[in-house]
Each structure stands twice: as C-alpha cells, then as structure tokens.
C-alpha cells in the first residue's frame, strides 16, 4: 500500500519536537553510541522528514558535554539534542510529567502528586525545548510538538516565532473538566496548548473534554461544531486524529514469523502491556481467575500469557505494582495448576518485535483492558497480526481504541465478572463470527494506518494555521 503524502509546499520542512529522539544515546568507550528506536512515532514522522527534510528535536537519553556526533546521525533530516540534567530529569520527567500529569490525565487523581519544584523544573525544561526549536525553525516550516511532556512549549515557541505553523498532538487522554481542574496549574497548561494552531487528540471524547475545559476554565469562546477555540486574539482548532499503526510492517512480520511452541489444543489468551498501573493487569488476572472458577471446562486447556514490559522501575509505585502482580500470579497458579499445566505464564521483560508478532498471530484471544488509555496500539497490532486462525479481541471500553474498534468484545475493566464472561464468550465464539469481526477490524486498521494519520494531521495543520492568521488579521483591522 503506497504511503499517502502530506500537503507540503516544496519549501516546507517538518520540525518534530518530542521528549525523546528517534535514537537513544548511551556513553560508550569512544563517546556517544546510538541505538535506533522502532516506535510508532518513528514510523509516522520519518517518511515525511526524509521526503521534505527537517529536524527532530528531543532529549537523547543521556547527559552529554557537546553536540559533536549528534547532527550527523540523521539521513535526510537532522537530529538535535536538548540537554536535560539528572536533577531536571527527576523533577521534570519522573516528577511532574509522570507523577502529576500521567495519573491525572488518566483519571486517577488519587495517584497524583503535586510538587511546586517539579512544576518549576517542568516550566524551565519546556522553555529550553522552545529555545532550541526557535533557533532551528525557518520561515515556512511546520512544527509538530508531541505529548504531555511539552504542554507549555507551543505558547513559548509562539512568543519566539509568532508566524510559525505550530501543531500539538496529545498521545494520552484529555480528562473531563472535573478531573482537569484539580491541577493547580490548569490555567498555564491550557494557555500553553493554545499557542498551537492545531491541537490533535485521539478521539472525539477527548476533544469534547478539551473544549469544555477551555470554555469553563478560561472563559474562551468555543465553537463546538467546528472545533475552534478563540482566546486572547488567537484561534486554535481542536480535532480528533485516531492514531494507527504501520499495518504493512506488522502484517509482514506476522506472515514471516516462525511457528510457536504452544501445545496442541491449548488456547492462548494474550496480554501485552508496559508495566503501568493504568493498564489494569491485576484486574485482568482476577478476571482470568474468575473464568477458571466459573467455567471449569477451560482448566488445563486455556493459558493466560501475560507479557509485562519493565517500565519506570525507579518509581516506588511501579515497584509496588510489580510485587502485587507477582503475588497474584503465584496465587492463581498455586490454586489451579496441575503437574502438566500452569494457568498463567508471566513474562516480565521486553519482547523483540518479530517474536511479539508471532505471539499476536498465534493467540486465540487478546485481552486489552486498561483502566484508561489514550488509544492503545496493542489492540491494533493484535488484529493486524491475525493472519491465520481468526482470534477475538477483548477490549476495555475505557481505551480510546474502543471508539472505533466496535467489533471487539468491549468490557468494563473494573467489572471482574463481566470480563470473565467476555473471555468465555471469546473462547467459545464460532468461527464465522470470529472471522466477520476480525475482517472488519483489519480492514479499518489497514485503511487508517499511521501514515494516513500523519498526513491527515499535517494537512489539517496547514488549514488551521491559515485560519488562525485570517482571524488574527480580522481582529486587528
């Protein structure tokens, strides 16, 4: 499938700004050593960067003394590091971004902590990103800023480059007003974002939340039908752009991956998550245990394979979560295991993409049940890799993906009984129904892939910037 091209002029470049670069640097015996990333953002941005040129700005993953060796690593585009010290990383990233914004925006206010010093460092680091971006942005460039680490950067960049086309995309949920207003710096976050010409979110529910927060918290004029916020002489468009994956890449991996080693007749229920309290892994294990209690015919025939990728292990809450999951797995296995079968296989490690594609392909059921999630690409990767025997997706209704993946079996992750029933339904679903559901899911992900997402956002950014300029001229004339 040919990749769609964004509507750029020949003079336009793309300037991508994110917390991390598309490569990670580590100190080696001969200086910085680079390790290329393979995530969704790389797949989204690299084709446009390579076609039109530009620069990717972000933290390189380590402290460094000079910029030597960094800029040359790009092919058709440059890589520009933003320095962040260890103390700043602790306060800006581990502190404000991941102990304040992350839980609050996932509607888990009891997990949220507020520290003034973390907020102050967050402001300072955002200013540094804005300074670096302004120094590299040329006339006619389009700047695409990403995610909750950089909420303030759009307005800071606007002050430095008032005529620049600036887009912002949030990769996590935007919470409802009653949650968002708990943030002591809610006003500053909204003002920071409204420096953008276009704010992109995953689904329409998040856009409604943002528009309501702008109206009620700032008193901004909001046109809900058009998704326009007018405030302080500027206009910003707010719209939903559901993120997809590189469909062709994952399908190819699944087609070429070697056969798995599962026993004949065993049904695999697969969970793949970063180890994070928003992913609902303990609730999932309780639901699987309830499945075995309520439907004993699945014992010795069904196995939950849970992959938990280590994450933020330096944070106490995440270490506690790992202990909780370890104990739950032990209790369920201790209760139901036989000499030849363990109900849960728990892998606490990263899995190479090729191996992951094989797990997706061979799983009879994928259980994707976050307590809240911006989109959730695991659900999309699973259906894309289902190239053989059609499997069933059990999906949390609280994930952004649920807004479009309606052929999945949708569950409330807090409802243990309901999730157990959904698992039983998935494991016993007739072939024809599985095939029909999966065909519809795969067709949608093929046509709404990551390249379509990037093109749609950049084309909308061009129109939003022109609208903002027109409104600004009208306001001053």
């Amino acid at each position: 499938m040919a990749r769609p091209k964004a509507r750029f002029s020949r003079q336009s470049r793309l300037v991508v700004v994110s917390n991390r670069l598309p490569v990670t640097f580590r100190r080696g015996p001969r200086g910085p050593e680079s390790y290329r990333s393979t995530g969704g953002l790389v797949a989204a941005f690299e084709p446009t960067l390579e076609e039109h040129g530009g620069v990717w700005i972000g933290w390189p993953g380590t402290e460094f003394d000079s910029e030597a060796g960094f800029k040359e690593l790009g092919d058709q585009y440059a890589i520009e590091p933003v320095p962040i010290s260890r103390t700043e990383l602790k306060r800006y990233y581990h502190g404000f971004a991941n102990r304040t914004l992350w839980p609050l925006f996932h509607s888990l206010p009891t997990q949220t902590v507020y520290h003034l010093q973390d907020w102050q460092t967050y402001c300072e680091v955002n200013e540094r990103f804005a300074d670096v971006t302004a120094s590299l942005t040329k006339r006619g460039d389009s700047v695409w800023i990403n995610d909750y680490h950089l909420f303030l950067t759009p307005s800071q960049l606007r002050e430095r480059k008032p005529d620049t086309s600036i887009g912002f995309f949030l990769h996590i949920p935007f919470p409802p007003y009653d949650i968002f207003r708990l943030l002591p710096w809610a006003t500053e976050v909204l003002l920071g974002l409204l420096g953008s010409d276009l704010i992109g979110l995953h689904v329409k529910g998040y856009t409604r939340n943002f528009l309501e927060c702008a109206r009620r918290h700032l008193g901004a004029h909001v046109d809900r039908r058009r998704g326009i916020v007018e405030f302080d002489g500027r206009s910003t468009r707010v719209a939903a752009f559901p993120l997809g994956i590189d469909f062709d890449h994952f399908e190819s991996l699944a087609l070429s991956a070697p056969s798995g080693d599962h026993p004949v007749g065993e049904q695999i229920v697969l969970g793949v998550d970063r180890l994070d309290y928003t992913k609902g892994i303990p609730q999932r294990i309780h639901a699987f245990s309830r499945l075995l209690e309520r439907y004993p015919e699945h014992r010795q025939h069904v196995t939950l394979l849970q992959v938990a990728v280590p994450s933020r292990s330096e944070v106490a809450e995440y270490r506690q979560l790992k202990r909780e999951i370890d104990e739950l797995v032990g209790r369920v296995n201790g209760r139901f295991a036989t000499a030849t079968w363990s109900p849960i296989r728990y892998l606490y490690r990263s899995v190479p993409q090729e191996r992951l594609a094989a797990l997706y392909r061979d799983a009879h059921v994928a259980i994707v049940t976050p307590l809240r999630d911006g989109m959730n690409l695991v659900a999309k990767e699973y259906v894309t890799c289902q190239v053989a025997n059609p499997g069933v997706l059990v999906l949390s209704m609280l994930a952004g993906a649920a807004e479009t993946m309606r052929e999945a079996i949708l569950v409330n992750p807090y409802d243990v009984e309901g999730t157990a029933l959904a698992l039983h339904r998935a494991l016993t679903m007739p072939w024809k129904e599985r095939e029909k559901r999966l065909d519809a899911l795969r067709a949608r992900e093929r046509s709404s892939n990551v390249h379509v997402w990037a093109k749609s956002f950049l084309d909308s950014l061009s129109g939003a910037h022109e609208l903002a300029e027109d409104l600004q001229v009208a306001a001053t004339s």
Side-chain angles (χ1 to χ4, degrees):
M1 181 178 178
R3 292 175 178 173
K5 296 183 178 180
R7 191 179 61 200
F8 274 113
S9 69
R10 290 187 177 180
Q11 293 75 31
S12 294
R13 300 186 314 156
L14 176 61
V15 179
V16 175
V17 189
S18 62
N19 177 62
R20 293 297 296 270
L21 288 169
V23 290
T24 296
F25 292 88
R26 297 173 190 160
R27 292 190 179 278
R30 299 182 180 179
E33 295 178 348
S34 65
Y35 299 84
R36 197 162 189 79
S37 302
T38 58
L41 288 185
V42 177
F45 297 142
E46 277 204 334
T48 302
L49 283 166
E50 290 174 351
E51 181 181 355
H52 295 276
V55 59
W56 193 317
I57 297 166
W59 179 57
T62 186
E63 291 185 286
F64 58 94
D65 301 319
S66 71
E67 298 178 8
F70 285 98
K71 293 183 180 179
E72 291 75 12
L73 287 167
D75 297 325
Q76 283 77 27
Y77 65 95
I79 292 173
E80 185 68 24
V82 177
I84 300 176
S85 71
R86 290 183 183 179
T87 299
E88 289 173 328
L89 188 69
K90 180 180 178 181
R91 293 172 180 161
Y92 144 78
Y93 179 77
H94 296 301
F96 193 76
N98 287 314
R99 297 193 70 194
T100 303
L101 295 175
W102 177 266
L104 188 70
F105 277 62
H106 284 84
S107 296
L108 297 170
T110 58
Q111 298 270 17
T112 305
V113 296
Y114 306 99
H115 291 309
L116 177 60
Q117 199 169 31
D118 289 348
W119 162 250
Q120 291 170 336
T121 304
Y122 181 87
C123 295
E124 293 165 4
V125 173
N126 273 243
E127 287 273 5
R128 191 173 306 145
F129 271 88
D131 286 336
V132 172
T133 304
S135 71
L136 295 169
T137 301
K138 302 176 182 177
R139 185 177 180 83
D141 287 348
S142 291
V143 179
W144 188 340
I145 302 168
N146 287 272
D147 227 0
Y148 62 103
H149 314 88
L150 302 173
F151 274 150
L152 309 182
T153 303
S155 64
Q156 294 164 343
L157 179 61
R158 179 69 61 196
E159 293 172 2
R160 294 157 173 77
K161 294 279 186 175
D163 298 325
T164 298
S165 176
I166 302 173
F168 181 94
F169 191 87
L170 180 62
H171 295 265
I172 64 174
F174 197 94
Y177 174 67
D178 280 345
I179 296 290
F180 178 73
R181 65 175 173 170
L182 299 177
L183 182 66
W185 305 280
T187 298
E188 290 86 344
V189 166
L190 287 174
L191 293 177
L193 287 169
L194 290 176
S196 311
D197 296 302
L198 173 67
I199 297 171
L201 302 117
H202 280 303
V203 295
K204 291 179 181 178
Y206 305 157
T207 68
R208 289 193 292 270
N209 288 347
F210 182 87
L211 294 173
E212 184 70 359
C213 288
R215 183 185 71 83
R216 296 180 67 179
H217 198 82
L218 292 181
H221 178 266
V222 171
D223 183 334
R224 289 189 181 85
R225 184 181 63 82
R226 298 168 64 209
I228 301 292
V229 177
E230 294 181 16
F231 185 76
D232 198 23
R234 291 201 77 259
S235 77
T236 299
R237 184 176 175 229
V238 183
F241 301 89
L243 176 61
I245 65 169
D246 190 338
F247 186 96
D248 292 343
H249 172 67
F250 277 95
E251 183 183 55
S252 176
L253 287 177
L255 288 168
S256 61
S259 299
D261 54 359
H262 308 300
V264 175
E266 179 186 39
Q267 289 183 290
I268 299 296
V269 175
L270 178 66
V272 177
D273 306 89
R274 199 168 47 78
L275 190 75
D276 189 281
Y277 53 77
T278 65
K279 300 302 182 182
I281 299 175
Q283 291 83 352
R284 182 181 310 163
I285 294 172
H286 283 300
F288 185 73
S289 177
R290 184 63 179 135
L291 170 77
L292 299 179
E293 288 177 351
R294 189 171 173 182
Y295 304 98
E297 63 267 30
H298 294 304
R299 298 178 192 177
Q300 301 192 69
H301 299 292
V302 176
T303 299
L304 172 62
L305 174 55
Q306 177 62 57
V307 178
V309 179
S311 174
R312 302 172 188 164
S313 57
E314 67 285 338
V315 178
E317 292 90 340
Y318 288 77
R319 294 195 299 270
Q320 174 58 36
L321 175 63
K322 183 181 183 302
R323 287 193 293 271
E324 180 185 358
I325 293 171
D326 289 346
E327 292 171 4
L328 274 174
V329 170
R331 285 204 297 270
V332 175
N333 282 343
R335 181 179 177 189
F336 293 105
T338 67
T340 58
W341 170 75
S342 290
I344 301 177
R345 290 163 57 194
Y346 175 50
L347 305 180
Y348 177 64
R349 59 175 180 265
S350 297
V351 176
Q353 211 172 60
E354 295 78 8
R355 173 62 178 149
L356 191 58
L359 294 178
Y360 285 142
R361 181 198 60 203
D362 298 338
H364 297 78
V365 175
I367 181 165
V368 183
T369 50
L371 306 181
R372 198 80 171 107
D373 217 335
M375 175 56 72
N376 193 290
L377 300 185
V378 167
K380 296 169 179 275
E381 291 168 3
Y382 172 72
V383 301
T384 298
C385 291
Q386 280 283 300
V387 295
N389 187 359
V392 181
L393 174 63
V394 176
L395 177 62
S396 167
M397 64 176 63
L398 302 179
E403 195 163 297
T404 56
M405 302 183 82
R406 307 302 297 181
E407 296 83 5
I409 299 179
L410 300 182
V411 298
N412 178 345
Y414 293 97
D415 179 3
V416 170
E417 292 290 333
T419 304
L421 178 61
L423 282 171
H424 175 69
R425 181 184 172 196
L427 289 164
T428 58
M429 185 178 290
W431 174 286
K432 283 293 185 184
E433 184 179 354
R434 284 187 281 142
E435 187 177 48
K436 182 178 179 181
R437 287 170 178 264
L438 184 64
D439 285 349
L441 288 164
R442 282 174 52 81
R444 186 182 299 108
E445 296 313 317
R446 186 188 296 275
S447 63
S448 302
N449 61 53
V450 69
H451 308 297
V452 172
W453 171 79
K455 178 186 183 302
S456 176
F457 184 89
L458 289 168
D459 287 349
S460 296
L461 175 57
S462 177
H465 181 61
E466 292 170 4
L467 174 63
E469 287 186 323
D470 290 344
L471 289 175
Q472 206 160 9
V473 168
T476 56
S477 60

